[in-house]
Amino acid sequence: MRYLTAGETHGPQLTAIIEGFPSNVTIDIDAVNFQLARRQKGHGRGRRMQIEKDTARIVGGVRHGKTTGAPIAIVVENNDWKNWTKIMGIEPVEEEEAKRRVNRPRPGHADLNGGLKYNQRDLRNILERSSARETTVRVAIGGVAREFLKEFGIKVAGQVLRIGDVEANRTEMPIDELIAVTEDSPVRVTDKDAEARMIAAIDAAKEAGDTLGGIVEVVIEGVPIGLGSHVQWDRKLDGRIAQAVLSIQAFKGVEFGIGFDAAKVPGSKVHDEIVYEEGSFRRVTNRAGGFEGGMTTGAPIVVRAVMKPISTLYKPLQSVDIDTKEAFTAQVERSDTCAVPAAGVIMENVIAWEVANAFLDKFGGDSLEEIRRNYEGYLQQVKEY
Ligand code: EPS
């Protein structure tokens, strides 16, 4: 499977095409839209989220509630477009209008690199596409992937572990409870004490015209042994997930299981011992976060990632005017103080897509029934091993 997205943050819509999705998968559009609503939430979001009520419209590949095997086309309209029709229109504009350019690149954003690379003197042509608004449609794609994963009992959950200097305690709980508890939290944590301190930290950053980043964790349960492969670098599923996660705007690092802590302790405290119990192989611990040799071990996939603070600051940093080359403070664009809770939702959904894709690589078929036959045959093979 593959997908592409198109569209700008203040353009008419975001568009996605998914190719290679199997037929006969039930698509609950409300479940897809629930993912979009989750992405809009979280303490620290800016005014744009009050303008939008993101809704996915499927305009190809689904009929009477089920996929047909044809490409799935998804559209999410931007309500804000009506305020930008002239600035973002495809028609040429008068000279006066064209002078209203973005010409002071924001440190940390794609503005300057993109302007130089694409030879654009209006940096709006870069920021419109590099904006994290693009993740709206990637969450819709993940929502569709989740409908497929649901058929095989695979569940996805996420939680925020850090915002700025506030760390949340990680409470172990069953995945359904984790999903419910984090859904009720405005910063998607299980730790109520940390929740209050995180909210206060976000409010203080807002007051100071600053922004905050953080750490999010995603867990996927119910994944069979052997998704991904050791035989070729680009078939390692942990590698693919890492790429997908780092492709989310503002994400700077990713780790699995105990991750970077593996550098601090000897091998005996890193690797997961194997036992054979009740007819199946099992790891005693899951420090590897569900992967060995780029393949799933059957234990939950545990991925953690860091999001840097959003680079649009209301109290802007030093920058240079691309016309005069003089020092100025960077352009201020409307933005969020903290989008870490939303970023966790995005991460869940981009990982859901990668897992669904690897599932199809392994059990590939054109219809859900064919995939199910292959899947069940494989489970039998593993049982008899
Ligand atoms: C976003 C929409 C954007 C930003 C944010 C994410 O809308 P606008 O630019 O109109 O305010 O709020 O994007 C960024 C902060 C960024 O730097 O890319 C969204 O829908 O998530």
Side-chain angles (χ1 to χ4, degrees), residues 9-10 39 45 48-49 80 109 130-133 135-136 310 312 334-336:
T9 176
H10 303 115
R39 196 200 72 95
R45 294 289 256 156
R48 177 73 184 270
M49 289 304 102
D80 206 15
H109 236 283
S130 64
S131 165
R133 177 86 191 133
T135 61
T136 310
I310 286 174
T312 304
R334 176 181 57 199
S335 190
D336 307 312

Side-chain angles (χ1 to χ4, degrees), residues 118-171:
Y118 287 92
N119 199 22
Q120 296 296 313
R121 299 214 62 84
D122 184 352
L123 300 178
R124 177 159 301 288
N125 288 340
I126 308 304
L127 78 85
E128 283 288 331
R129 180 63 187 156
S130 64
S131 165
R133 177 86 191 133
E134 184 260 351
T135 61
T136 310
V137 83
R138 275 201 277 169
V139 167
I141 293 164
V144 170
R146 283 168 105 124
E147 292 299 278
F148 173 78
L149 295 178
K150 234 192 249 174
E151 298 281 353
F152 299 93
I154 298 172
K155 292 182 178 176
V156 186
Q159 64 181 306
V160 170
L161 294 180
R162 169 182 287 280
I163 288 180
D165 62 4
V166 185
E167 204 177 335
N169 272 323
R170 222 173 153 288
T171 327

Side-chain angles (χ1 to χ4, degrees), residues 154-335:
I154 298 172
K155 292 182 178 176
V156 186
Q159 64 181 306
V160 170
L161 294 180
R162 169 182 287 280
I163 288 180
D165 62 4
V166 185
E167 204 177 335
N169 272 323
R170 222 173 153 288
T171 327
E172 290 300 329
M173 52 177 81
I175 194 160
D176 289 329
E177 198 182 331
L178 178 63
I179 292 168
V181 170
T182 50
E183 208 53 47
D184 270 349
S185 164
V187 282
R188 296 196 172 279
V189 292
T190 57
D191 173 352
K192 281 285 159 198
D193 175 55
E195 177 179 290
R197 286 184 289 122
M198 282 173 175
I199 290 170
I202 293 167
D203 292 344
K206 187 175 182 183
E207 193 65 33
D210 220 326
T211 55
L212 287 179
I215 295 176
V216 283
E217 181 178 279
V218 170
V219 179
I220 309 212
E221 275 188 22
V223 180
I225 294 171
L227 298 190
S229 176
H230 66 291
V231 302
Q232 199 62 261
W233 68 272
D234 60 353
R235 292 179 60 192
K236 293 174 192 244
L237 181 55
D238 46 2
R240 286 193 191 187
I241 288 174
Q243 205 272 317
V245 170
L246 286 182
S247 79
I248 303 170
Q249 288 78 345
F251 273 59
K252 299 306 281 183
V254 59
E255 60 179 14
F256 292 84
I258 62 167
F260 276 51
D261 282 346
K264 301 176 195 161
V265 284
S268 56
K269 296 210 165 50
V270 170
H271 304 294
D272 303 307
E273 289 184 303
I274 302 169
V275 291
Y276 190 74
E277 279 170 358
E278 292 162 21
S280 62
F281 294 96
R282 194 176 66 78
R283 305 295 187 287
V284 178
T285 48
N286 184 25
R287 296 164 180 146
F291 284 103
E292 282 169 350
M295 293 172 280
T296 50
T297 62
I301 295 175
V302 183
V303 195
R304 226 168 289 110
V306 56
M307 182 195 192
K308 69 178 179 181
I310 286 174
S311 39
T312 304
L313 305 182
Y314 281 95
K315 205 170 73 191
L317 297 175
Q318 170 92 11
S319 181
V320 174
D321 186 309
I322 59 168
D323 299 328
T324 64
K325 314 295 190 283
E326 277 170 26
F328 272 105
T329 51
Q331 201 110 347
V332 178
E333 292 283 322
R334 176 181 57 199
S335 190

